[in-house]
Amino acid sequence: MAKIIDGKKISQEIKDEIKAEIERDGIKACLAVIIAGSDPASQVYVKNKKTACEYCGIRSLSYELPEDTKEDELLALIKKLNEDPEVDGILVQLPVPEHIDEDRIIEAIDPAKDVDGFSRRSVGALSIGSNGFVSCTPAGIIELLKRSGIEMEGKECVVMGRSNIVGKPMAMLMLRENATVTVVHSRTRHIEDICRRADILIVAIGKPRMITHDYVKDGAVIIDVGIHRLDPGKNGGRKLCGDVDYEDVEPLASYITPVPGGVGPMTIAMLMKNVLKSAKEK
Ligand code: GUN
């Protein structure tokens, strides 16, 4: 039976630590959140980010822009927030509407306020091991592992998926922790054999329940980044699942993250941590 890594509990601990530090040291921190358009999932994420700010004692500024916002208007808003000394972090919720160039938007954010850690400067800093903002989901996974007492040094870690937001920074962070890292993706051959070598298997491939016991070594640590909404009729009443077939894999694993309540809540906790870091470094 695997030990369940409780991301909800650990993320709450982190938010409580941030709240306590802000209160104790009288820190003033402020996050500007921008959303363009009305994508329902993005609206939920943004609402959760604002709620977390309020909980931690971080001021949040909210910019809800229409779907037809022009790229120049969005760039002008980012410029204004870059120049505002009160603002410590700027977050543009992705995806942006199709007519807007996502890369230009990310690069317009002052690197000192890039609390998502998506800009070239932040990603470059991570890859050479210098100080910078780290993408929140992979940073949250490192916290989950550390706070669960899971050793990374010298371990075989397989990262499934190579996105800029999760897979690639995840591999960099595991290297920083002295793990031996392999990244597998949709074109990888013999993927199951490679995954079965993993002491720590981090799955971010975006396919519901793809990872079965065939991919998992006895005693492996399983981290599931995926989150999918399933038709409850086909799924015994459970509405959410991850990239991992939890029931099939759990008996083999030593530790496993559930979905929901595993990796998901950590992303926002780490965002709060990045805003606090920015405020302290100002
Ligand atoms: N869209 C999905 N995840 C994220 C995230 O972590 N940050 C931003 N800005 N947009 C997202």
Side-chain angles (χ1 to χ4, degrees):
M1 265 258 296
K3 289 196 181 121
I4 294 170
I5 301 177
D6 188 343
K8 220 173 147 191
K9 179 162 160 269
I10 295 173
S11 68
Q12 187 60 48
E13 284 166 14
I14 292 170
K15 283 187 287 184
D16 285 335
E17 289 164 13
I18 293 168
K19 181 179 159 77
E21 184 174 344
I22 285 177
E23 280 173 11
R24 187 192 64 215
D25 298 343
I27 296 167
K28 277 193 175 167
C30 173
L31 172 67
V33 180
I34 305 172
I35 177 169
S38 54
D39 175 60
S42 292
Q43 285 181 328
V44 172
Y45 289 135
V46 163
K47 183 169 159 277
N48 291 343
K49 288 170 187 176
K50 287 193 281 192
T51 306
C53 280
E54 206 173 308
Y55 182 83
C56 295
I58 294 170
R59 189 171 150 228
S60 72
L61 303 175
S62 184
Y63 298 87
E64 285 162 33
L65 309 178
E67 181 82 28
D68 62 358
T69 300
K70 293 195 171 62
E71 186 173 299
D72 283 349
E73 290 169 334
L74 187 47
L75 289 170
L77 174 59
I78 292 170
K79 184 167 181 289
K80 186 182 89 144
L81 296 168
N82 280 343
E83 288 164 359
D84 186 340
E86 299 261 307
V87 173
D88 300 296
I90 302 171
L91 182 148
V92 179
Q93 187 65 27
L94 303 179
V96 288
E98 261 179 37
H99 62 279
I100 294 177
D101 182 342
E102 187 176 289
D103 190 49
R104 273 191 83 191
I105 298 302
I106 291 171
E107 290 306 315
I109 297 170
D110 179 346
K113 301 188 180 189
D114 174 31
V115 288
D116 257 328
F118 291 169
S119 70
R120 294 194 181 108
R121 171 108 158 244
S122 301
V123 174
L126 171 63
S127 65
I128 61 169
S130 64
N131 181 37
F133 294 111
V134 178
S135 182
C136 300
T137 300
I141 291 170
I142 297 291
E143 281 295 315
L144 282 181
L145 293 167
K146 284 189 174 168
R147 290 180 186 236
S148 303
I150 295 163
E151 183 68 47
M152 289 171 263
E153 182 159 325
K155 295 286 178 66
E156 285 263 4
C157 174
V158 174
V159 179
M160 300 186 78
R162 54 176 161 175
S163 71
N164 290 338
I165 292 178
V166 182
K168 285 180 202 158
M170 191 74 245
M172 290 295 173
L173 285 173
M174 291 304 288
L175 275 178
R176 203 191 255 191
E177 299 297 330
N178 299 316
T180 301
V181 184
T182 307
V183 179
V184 300
H185 49 79
S186 53
R187 309 284 171 88
T188 302
R189 287 189 224 158
H190 313 297
I191 193 161
E192 295 177 26
D193 295 341
I194 297 169
C195 290
R196 270 201 308 271
R197 294 206 311 250
D199 300 308
I200 302 172
L201 181 63
I202 301 174
V203 189
I205 39 168
K207 295 224 166 80
R209 291 178 161 168
M210 182 180 145
I211 303 312
T212 59
H213 68 273
D214 295 323
Y215 291 76
V216 174
K217 176 170 83 173
D218 214 357
V221 174
I222 308 294
I223 305 291
D224 188 353
V225 183
I227 184 148
H228 311 276
R229 199 165 286 281
L230 286 180
D231 173 1
K234 288 184 195 155
N235 192 34
R238 277 185 64 172
K239 282 198 302 213
L240 294 173
C241 75
D243 291 347
V244 174
D245 185 337
Y246 186 93
E247 277 75 24
D248 192 50
V249 164
E250 186 272 338
L252 272 181
S254 58
Y255 289 84
I256 190 165
T257 58
V259 176
V263 172
M266 295 300 290
T267 301
I268 292 184
M270 299 314 286
L271 174 66
M272 299 299 109
K273 225 174 168 176
N274 277 349
V275 177
L276 175 58
K277 172 180 155 71
S278 178
K280 290 200 290 189
E281 287 176 357
K282 184 158 61 183

